Amino acid sequence: MTGMAEHHTDTPDASSLLYSAGGVGDMIVNALERHGPRTAFACRGHTVTYAQVAEQISRTLQHFEAIGLRRGDAIMQLTSNRHEMFVIMAAAFIGGYVSVIPNYSGSLDDHRYMLEDSGAVLLIVDVARTARGQELARGAQHAIRLASHDAVPGLPDFWREISGYTPRPLQAWEAPDDNIRLIYTGGTTGVPKGVITESRALAFASLLHIAEQGFDISTRLLVSSPLSHGAGALVIPVLVKGGTVVVHDGFDADRTLDAIHAGDATTLFLVPTMLYALMDHPRIASINLGGLRRIIYTAAPISQRRLAQALALFGPILHQNYGQTEVPGTILSLTAEDHLHPRGDKLTSAGKPYPCVAVRLVDDAGNTLPRDGGIGELCVRAPHVTRGYWNKPEATQELLRDGWLHTGDMAYQDRDGYFHIVDRKKDMIISGGFNIYPQELENTLGSHPAVASAAVIGVPDEKWGEAVKAIVVLRAAASATAEELIAFVKERKGPVMAPKTVEFTAALPLTPLGKIDKKALRAGYWDGRGSGVV
């Protein structure tokens, strides 16, 4: 299919079956068989056992085969949180297909690009994304099959279609080095990049989460941020240990507090803005927090003051995770114990490396910096580092140099060995847990007829960690309001990407080379505060 890697044979020989042992597909199959009668998911008012998930995956795989999908084909979903999303994704992992799940709130242009770049041959949408799916299918440059998670007139109902198959025992067919997932990140060039995820990489990352988080059979993990991204990284680890994943379709502070109070959630996965919402809720004082064993927070800068308040409120159960899609979510970890370090200066830290993860800091010449030796770029070497970006050899070469993955994040290591992220070598903004790349927004703003030039930066924000701010120069005799430009970006790039504020100026500061001086623009907002990310 268009854009896809060379296919493996549909019926592996004995040697390839032997080689396939040990990937994430085997990990999932083992978990489903081991914990069959237990509850795997609680979602949308009903529960699903491990055995039922296994049956749904079996039917899904039989359907993939019946409609002519081949190993290596990409399967794309556009859906909000539901346990069926995991079923399709797990079937892809087990069968050696490629799972592609963009952020469902992304723009049409981004979704179209991901569909074409991945070469996805099957697109499954939910009822809210029906129109988007139909538009994508109509404009696709290659043959694509469209189906729905829900009963929607005019679209095949995926779950009805597979209901006639008789479940069979599951067997994983993927090889450890198979690319089984593409997660698209924003790009400084304005074009998303698909991060290749090998089966063994995802399995290794899952083992790191199990080792670090202490999941067990009593774990009830509540996830309300998209399962397609960071929250989804914890699903397989919880299932391996026999726990339950409680799926909420979007974050609602009241509903989350109800789940905590009732004992339905022992573990939370949150970005800082969600944590703040719980802390500031008028009901928090009346909620029984005794059953809460772990709060995992990640994906965005967090206020040191608010983190100290969270420790006082919830107790020593907070765990910070620092990672990138290119090293599936597991580079540095600040454990619950680390939050209570006697030196008292670790709340600004991203922690220490996960087991089997090597981290170093390098200067601009590529020299390794000693501990307490200043700020350098954080580089990673680990078994689960991506082999690169899909169809992006130049970006891959830039990412992987001298045997190390270059994160683009600037950090220092303190005398106790903890890493502190202080800035980003590139201009990426992290706002409310989402990665936002300024050039994408600058290109969009530049397409407005009234805009002569624009610069986008992140500025400190108590709620979002960083807020997107656009600084705009208007064309001569042209006019536009801040509200108009915000709406303009929101329509084209989605609400997450839209600037929170717009400032108008007569000219943008330039470097001696004639480039926009982002450092000068940020200085008035960040000087004396740092711009750390966790």
Side-chain angles (χ1 to χ4, degrees), residues 80 91 110 141 180 258 263 323 329 341 351 360 402 439 509 521 531:
S80 59
D110 284 348
Q141 300 301 304
I180 57 167
D258 288 343
H341 193 280
R360 71 173 184 175
D402 305 320
Q439 188 165 332
L521 289 174
S531 55

Side-chain angles (χ1 to χ4, degrees), residues 48 66 100 148 153 209 230-231 332 397 447 486 497 504 508 513:
V48 186
V100 181
S148 177
H209 281 301
L332 302 173
Q397 188 174 9
S447 68
I486 291 170
M497 305 279 276
F504 295 97
L508 294 169
L513 296 176

